[in-house]
């Protein structure tokens, strides 16, 4: 899966956007960056702390997605 560079441990987290912007109707997440519509809408005004939290949620979603794929 293509993904943005994750520099989420730096002072200025990079946007997780991969340019593949399409919402999965079942998961209610963007298939490119694994963010919810709410997270996408909040990103530009989010604090550093909130951006780090979004990145953490993305990492957890990636791990869950990977695990689901391994089981299937």
């Amino acid at each position: 899966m293509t993904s943005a560079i994750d520099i989420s441990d730096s002072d200025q987290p990079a946007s997780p956007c991969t340019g593949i912007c399409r919402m999965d109707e079942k998961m209610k997440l963007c298939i490119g960056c694994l963010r919810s519509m709410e997270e996408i809408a909040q990103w530009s005004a989010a604090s550093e702390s909130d951006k780090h939290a979004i990145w953490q949620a993305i990492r957890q979603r990636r791990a869950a997605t990977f695990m689901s794929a391994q089981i299937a």
Side-chain angles (χ1 to χ4, degrees), residues 17-71:
C17 183
T18 63
I20 303 170
C21 306
R22 191 172 67 200
M23 295 304 287
D24 179 279
E25 291 299 319
K26 184 177 178 183
M27 294 189 313
K28 304 293 186 203
L29 299 171
C30 174
I31 65 166
C33 66
L34 297 179
R35 287 184 291 171
S36 67
M37 285 296 289
E38 183 179 337
E39 291 166 337
I40 293 167
Q42 292 175 348
W43 184 263
S44 62
S47 67
E48 279 183 35
S49 176
D50 288 340
K51 289 179 180 181
H52 285 294
I54 292 169
W55 266 112
Q56 182 60 34
I58 292 167
R59 285 192 289 272
Q60 290 171 346
R61 291 173 189 145
R62 282 183 188 156
T65 300
F66 176 76
M67 293 304 293
S68 294
Q70 296 299 314
I71 295 170

